[in-house]
Amino acid sequence: MYLWALLTGDIITVVQYFAGPMAAPGGFGFSRWLAAFIDIASFPAIIPFGICFLLIRLRALPADIDHAGFTLLSLIPLAVYRSISWNSPASPLLLVLVPLLWTAQAVGMPWFFRFIKRESRWYVTAPAILAIAALPAAAASSWWAFFSQHTLIAWLLLCVTFAPAIISGFKESYLKYLTQRH
């Protein structure tokens, strides 16, 4: 798993380096949000998550792999590259907020995917699929709102983006506490 994750991260980083920005940001409107979604806040976290599923389908990885761990490990090379390239005009939005948004998505999307994997009922799987799609949109919107200085909206969207990761963490900690107690 570790080799595949780091190889995935290296390939994504090399492609990002040579391709450059895929969306041209302009002003504060939709083009800026789209650039945030594709180049900054969301797409970099979606790609390793999708590659993990592709590798599972190709049977290169086991089906019970930790998707969040794979995605987080894949993001390390890109985070190192981006921290170097974004450091010239040091911006807390890029250097602090973006890695936090990547982490929230890398933990939140697999948490929703577990519902899809376990349940066959449509009223559980449909909202989980929508949540997986909405999480990257909320992350990009949060970054855009911070960039546009709409701080209240930005903090609300940041809370929405982090909610699945926080709930997942509390649930894991509580289950660990219960098993150690008995």
Side-chain angles (χ1 to χ4, degrees), residues 6 14-15 34 48 51 65 73 86 88 103 111 127 150:
L6 288 173
V14 168
V15 168
L34 189 63
I51 290 174
I65 192 170
L73 193 57
W86 285 339
S88 43
T103 303
W111 185 68
H150 299 296

Side-chain angles (χ1 to χ4, degrees), residues 3-142:
L3 179 64
W4 281 110
L6 288 173
L7 184 62
T8 298
D10 290 341
I11 291 170
I12 291 169
T13 304
V14 168
V15 168
Q16 286 281 317
Y17 176 75
F18 286 113
M22 293 183 210
F28 294 98
F30 180 72
S31 64
R32 178 67 66 172
W33 181 89
L34 189 63
F37 185 85
I38 293 173
D39 290 327
I40 299 171
S42 298
F43 213 55
I46 294 171
I47 292 172
F49 186 65
I51 290 174
C52 181
F53 287 109
L54 178 66
L55 291 173
I56 290 170
R57 283 286 202 213
L58 295 174
R59 300 189 194 280
L61 293 175
D64 62 342
I65 192 170
D66 177 24
H67 300 327
F70 182 92
T71 305
L72 287 169
L73 193 57
S74 296
L75 287 170
I76 290 173
L78 185 61
V80 170
Y81 164 67
R82 290 286 174 89
S83 68
I84 293 168
S85 65
W86 285 339
N87 197 22
S88 43
S91 166
L93 282 179
L94 296 173
L95 296 174
V96 177
L97 182 65
V98 171
L100 290 174
L101 290 171
W102 287 354
T103 303
Q105 293 172 85
V107 175
M109 288 186 295
W111 185 68
F112 286 119
F113 182 71
R114 282 187 224 131
F115 291 114
I116 297 169
K117 209 169 165 183
R118 281 187 283 190
E119 296 289 332
S120 61
R121 296 176 292 213
W122 69 270
Y123 54 86
V124 175
T125 58
I129 291 169
L130 291 174
I132 289 173
L135 197 60
S141 298
S142 175

